[in-house]
């Protein structure tokens, strides 16, 4: 706000004949009047400026409070939104999708001497022993036989290998279904790369056992902690391929079914969190 000051200029009418002292007195009087008239205006200006400053100072807390009040709901809304997102993330966490997960969720822990636990240990150890010396045979298709001469010239061709009969039989003695497919594929990888496993893993901790179904047949589902500290995988030159930083223990899910009077591993899975 701007203040416009008006000053009244007094006109002095001096008679033609005045004494020097009277002229001086009147001049001094005129200056005094002008100074007196301007003082209130200047005082008003200072007062107005002071008032404006006071008003501004007084309104600051109010403005701050208003800003604080306006920001507060936004902050609360952000906090509330973060909480909702956290709950949503928890709700969206994937559930266990292996067969028998629901039965295991309510199962109580058992000891290592449980019949199904010891049977699982025996079956899995027998499978791991297959990996100590995987037997393979080279397989040629009719098309490859016809082009045998060209294959000899191309030394980069990798032989098409398959598991030999003994290895297939050893795997089928301990597994069936999807577990048999998994164990066979793993064994073939070992045979193709000329890898060998030393040592076997063992079940530790407190396993869980529950009744389940596999392809409609009665089955047992187990959650066990496998300790592979004694296991090493080596290449043909004897170099250890096992990563020392890999966790030595992990939870494994095994489903056992009876096949021709014998228990076999029908499926092998892992829970979402395999730590144990």
């Amino acid at each position: 706000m701007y203040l416009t000051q008006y000053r009244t200029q007094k006109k002095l009418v001096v008679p033609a004949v005045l004494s020097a002292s009277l002229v001086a007195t009147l001049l001094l009087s005129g200056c005094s009047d002008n100074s007196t008239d301007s003082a209130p205006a200047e005082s008003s200006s200072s007062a107005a400026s002071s008032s404006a400053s006071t008003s501004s100072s007084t309104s600051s807390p109010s403005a701050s409070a208003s800003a604080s009040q306006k920001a507060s709901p936004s902050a609360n809304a952000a906090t509330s939104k973060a909480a909702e997102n956290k709950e949503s993330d928890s709700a969206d966490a994937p559930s266990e999708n292996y067969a028998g997960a629901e039965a295991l969720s309510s199962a109580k822990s058992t000891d290592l001497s449980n019949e199904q636990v010891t049977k699982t240990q025996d079956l899995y150890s027998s499978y791991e022993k297959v990996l100590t010396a995987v037997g393979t045979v080279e397989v040629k298709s009719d098309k490859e036989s016809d082009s045998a001469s060209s294959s000899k010239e191309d030394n980069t061709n990798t032989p098409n290998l398959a598991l030999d009969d003994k290895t297939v039989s050893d795997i089928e003695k301990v597994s069936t279904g999807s577990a048999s497919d998994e164990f066979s594929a793993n064994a073939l990888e070992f045979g193709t790369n000329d890898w060998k496993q030393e040592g076997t893993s063992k079940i530790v901790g407190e396993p869980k056992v529950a009744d389940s179904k596999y392809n409609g047949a009665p089955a047992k589902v187990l959650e066990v902690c496998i300790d592979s500290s004694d296991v090493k995988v080596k290449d043909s030159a004897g170099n250890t391929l096992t990563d020392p930083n890999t966790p030595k223990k992990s939870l494994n899910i095994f489903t056992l079914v009876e096949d021709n009077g014998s228990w076999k591993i029908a499926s092998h899975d892992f829970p979402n969190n395999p730590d144990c």
Side-chain angles (χ1 to χ4, degrees):
M1 177 180 179
Y2 295 94
L3 300 177
T4 305
Q5 297 181 3
Y6 295 92
R7 293 188 177 182
T8 304
Q9 301 295 331
K10 294 185 179 181
K11 295 181 180 180
L12 299 180
V13 181
V14 184
V17 181
L18 289 175
S19 65
S21 60
L22 182 56
V23 171
T25 300
L26 290 175
L27 288 174
L28 289 174
S29 176
C31 291
S32 176
D33 286 348
N34 286 338
S35 176
T36 302
D37 289 345
S38 65
E42 292 174 357
S43 176
S44 297
S45 175
S46 298
S49 176
S50 175
S51 174
S53 175
T54 303
S55 175
S56 173
S57 175
T58 304
S59 64
S60 293
S62 175
S64 299
S66 176
S68 175
Q69 290 172 354
K70 289 180 180 179
S72 181
S74 298
N76 292 337
T79 303
S80 176
K81 187 66 176 176
E84 289 176 5
N85 289 340
K86 186 175 182 180
E87 292 177 2
S88 177
D89 291 342
S90 299
D92 294 339
S95 58
E96 304 290 357
N97 60 3
Y98 58 83
E102 186 175 353
L104 275 179
S105 65
S106 58
K108 294 182 179 179
S109 299
T110 186
D111 55 49
L112 297 174
S113 63
N114 178 279
E115 180 183 359
Q116 301 301 329
V117 174
T118 57
K119 175 54 67 175
T120 302
Q121 176 71 76
D122 291 342
L123 293 172
Y124 195 65
S125 294
S126 296
Y127 154 66
E128 287 187 309
K129 288 177 182 178
V130 171
L131 302 179
T132 62
V134 177
T136 60
V137 293
E138 186 173 349
V139 179
K140 291 184 178 181
S141 65
D142 294 338
K143 183 177 180 180
E144 289 175 329
S145 298
D146 294 338
S147 58
S149 58
S150 61
S151 296
K152 289 180 180 179
E153 296 175 0
D154 186 1
N155 296 324
T156 62
N157 282 353
T158 301
N160 186 19
L161 300 178
L163 298 176
D164 64 13
D165 291 342
K166 182 181 183 306
T167 302
V168 170
S169 177
D170 289 343
I171 291 176
E172 289 180 346
K173 286 178 183 178
V174 299
S175 64
T176 186
S178 63
S180 182
D181 294 338
E182 176 193 333
F183 294 168
S184 296
N186 197 34
L188 184 57
E189 183 179 16
F190 270 64
T192 301
N193 293 286
D194 201 14
W195 297 340
K196 298 183 184 302
Q197 177 169 316
E198 293 183 358
T200 57
S201 55
K202 58 184 177 181
I203 297 175
V204 298
E206 299 180 339
K208 291 182 178 182
V209 181
D211 292 324
S212 183
K213 293 280 187 181
Y214 182 80
N215 290 339
K220 296 288 185 180
V221 59
L222 298 88
E223 179 188 80
V224 297
C225 180
I226 296 289
D227 184 352
S228 58
S229 301
D230 297 332
V231 174
K232 290 183 180 179
V233 177
K234 294 186 176 182
D235 61 17
S236 57
N239 299 313
T240 300
L241 304 177
T242 311
D243 186 350
N245 297 320
T246 301
K248 302 302 181 183
K249 296 180 181 180
S250 63
L251 286 176
N252 286 243
I253 307 297
F254 292 100
T255 300
L256 269 58
V257 297
E258 281 193 280
D259 182 40
N260 295 324
S262 300
W263 286 101
K264 294 183 179 181
I265 299 174
S267 69
H268 177 219
D269 293 288
F270 297 93
N272 291 330
N273 181 7
D275 295 340
C276 64

